Amino acid sequence: MSDEIKKGLVGVVSDETKVSEVMPEINSLTYRGYAVQELCAKCNFEQVAYLLLHGELPNPDELKAFEEYERTNRNISDTLKNTIKNYPNNAHPMDTTRTTVSHMGLEDPDTEDNSPESNMRKSMRLLAQISTAVAANFRIRKGQEIINPDLSLSFSENFFHMSFGKVPSPEVVKAFDVSMILYAEHSFNASTFTSRVITSSLSDMHGAVVGGIASLKGPLHGGANEAVAHMLNEVGSADKAEEFILNKIKNKELIMGFGHRVYRDGDSRVPTMTEYYYKTAEFYQNKELPKISKILENTMLREKKIKPNLDFPAGPAYQLMGFDIDFFTPIFVVSRITGWCAHIMEQLSSNKLIRPLSKYAGSPHRKIN
Ligand code: ACO
């Protein structure tokens, strides 16, 4: 057995997955074999959620049944609504979202049942209810009333309805739906791996998702979309963008929204999300934000040869849509719940306790004097 340390598990292949892969031959992230760009062009988020959870794209009847199940499970309990109302107002929405999923586990009739049928039901309920809970939290924090889900609306339309009381134009809804598709899954990233580690001890699905949320919160992972929006706001105007980034580079600071462990030559999701970010900016007649983004991107490429990741275009797109910055990562959760649940079920289907070794570097054996 090799005792070579692979810090951060860089380059370590720890298991197989059939959920997603970055396919070198097309240099793209694929879900169950389909390139994400094609899924964004031809499918909506519900179809992609079905694909991730079931392994195949739905036929029209399967999609109808899936949508009906998702829509009729959107309501959250009054107890959970009260819990959300009682969260401290200064708590970070990722922390409240984590607590919300923990609460859902307390209420779910299937929590202790890890059978495939039960886990599929729980995945659907989590998908249907997490957006209701995040939108409720978003409104309560602003001192507004919770808006109940509208079962006649699509997943993305309904999220806008519950957040703002209205559904924006189809272009904006499509941009949001594309972000949902692109954020849904990315193989053994930190949060998914966390969920799989928790699952591997035969713990329950809600607990595994709670762990995934805690991992996603970090600025090196999902929290980067919030950091990108803060950075763009700090830059303020395009004429200050180049100097801003050069200073950060000079000070050897980490620049959020750039770099990726898996992609060394650019995140394959970025061109699609950037296209929809620019379309959203055009819709809201905001010329400055894309200008700042382009300067930051070009300067990073010229000076550091590092390209942006998905958080770089997604953060400002969410800001343009009117979401508060600290809700960007909970929005990521609303989408990634599908990937986590697919991985939790896959882990259980061929489980082995995940328990790596460590190399001891502490004090030699000693005795208490
Ligand atoms: N800003 C400045 N320098 C960077 C950045 C960055 N964003 N990303 C990588 N580098 C530099 C590193 O400092 C390192 O330089 P060095 O060799 O001189 O020390 C070199 O590029 C290689 O980077 P690593 O740290 O080895 O890359 P790693 O795979 O460990 O990290 C990570 C990947 C964590 C995403 C990193 O690029 C980063 O911190 N980026 C900023 C946070 C971010 O945007 N996270 C979102 C990830 S995507 C997602 O979750 C949807």
Side-chain angles (χ1 to χ4, degrees), residues 183 219-222 224 253-261 264 267 269 300 304 306 309-311 332 336:
Y183 266 139
L220 296 189
H221 193 6
E253 285 178 49
L254 202 56
I255 296 147
M256 294 305 172
F258 285 88
H260 200 281
R261 174 65 62 80
R264 290 300 175 202
D267 180 335
R269 302 163 295 180
M300 271 299 273
K304 296 277 293 179
I306 299 177
N309 57 54
L310 176 58
D311 291 324
F332 190 160
R336 184 56 65 89

Side-chain angles (χ1 to χ4, degrees), residues 5 58 60 80-81 83 129 149 169 189 200 225 249 295 299 319 339:
I5 295 171
L80 179 53
K81 281 184 192 163
T83 302
Q129 288 166 14
S169 83
N189 55 82
S200 80
N225 60 11
I249 293 170
I295 295 171
T299 314
Q319 187 162 15

Side-chain angles (χ1 to χ4, degrees), residues 3-174:
D3 61 356
E4 188 194 351
I5 295 171
K6 298 271 190 182
K7 217 163 167 74
L9 301 183
V10 175
V12 172
V13 178
S14 68
D15 205 345
E16 289 183 342
T17 181
K18 293 189 172 111
V19 185
S20 72
E21 166 68 339
V22 177
M23 289 190 176
E25 63 271 32
I26 54 168
N27 192 30
S28 174
L29 174 62
T30 52
Y31 298 164
R32 308 274 189 195
Y34 296 105
V36 287
Q37 297 85 344
E38 195 183 359
L39 290 169
C40 287
K42 298 183 183 160
C43 300
N44 63 16
F45 177 62
E46 287 88 326
Q47 288 167 294
V48 174
Y50 184 101
L51 171 70
L52 290 170
L53 293 174
H54 292 275
E56 293 296 336
L57 281 167
N59 65 32
D61 286 343
E62 287 164 339
L63 182 61
K64 197 162 169 257
F66 183 84
E67 284 178 346
E68 199 174 311
Y69 196 95
E70 187 273 310
R71 290 179 190 208
T72 50
N73 276 282
R74 283 177 183 169
N75 282 309
I76 55 173
S77 71
D78 288 341
T79 324
L80 179 53
K81 281 184 192 163
N82 284 331
T83 302
I84 292 171
K85 283 179 190 163
N86 285 315
Y87 287 146
N89 223 28
N90 60 351
H92 191 283
M94 274 303 269
D95 297 339
T96 56
T97 303
R98 192 193 64 221
T99 303
T100 289
V101 172
S102 210
H103 182 113
M104 286 174 176
L106 305 179
E107 291 182 336
D108 198 295
D110 287 323
T111 297
E112 299 306 328
D113 181 355
N114 254 342
S115 66
E117 301 75 27
S118 156
N119 278 337
M120 187 59 82
R121 286 195 296 274
K122 282 184 277 185
S123 302
M124 287 303 294
R125 283 197 283 271
L126 278 163
L127 171 66
Q129 288 166 14
I130 193 81
S131 61
T132 312
V134 167
N137 192 195
F138 176 68
R139 289 186 66 82
I140 294 294
R141 285 247 307 201
K142 291 155 118 44
Q144 298 166 333
E145 290 292 314
I146 292 175
I147 298 178
N148 286 327
D150 181 337
L151 310 195
S152 71
L153 297 175
S154 73
F155 187 90
S156 292
E157 287 169 341
N158 179 51
F159 190 67
F160 280 104
H161 158 75
M162 295 186 298
S163 301
F164 303 110
K166 55 180 190 254
V167 179
S169 83
E171 295 102 300
V172 177
V173 175
K174 175 67 186 171

Side-chain angles (χ1 to χ4, degrees), residues 228-294:
V228 168
H230 286 302
M231 176 172 72
L232 290 171
N233 291 342
E234 204 186 326
V235 174
S237 60
D239 57 324
K240 299 200 184 100
E242 184 165 357
E243 192 192 345
F244 177 92
I245 213 84
L246 289 174
N247 269 334
K248 281 206 173 281
I249 293 170
K250 198 171 91 198
N251 297 333
K252 301 203 177 314
E253 285 178 49
L254 202 56
I255 296 147
M256 294 305 172
F258 285 88
H260 200 281
R261 174 65 62 80
V262 175
Y263 302 103
R264 290 300 175 202
D265 195 28
D267 180 335
S268 67
R269 302 163 295 180
V270 166
T272 310
M273 193 62 232
T274 304
E275 182 193 329
Y276 282 94
Y277 157 36
Y278 290 171
K279 277 186 189 167
T280 307
E282 211 176 299
F283 180 83
Y284 288 111
Q285 298 181 341
N286 186 321
K287 292 196 174 126
E288 199 66 6
L289 219 42
K291 257 197 222 164
I292 300 175
S293 296
K294 276 181 204 162

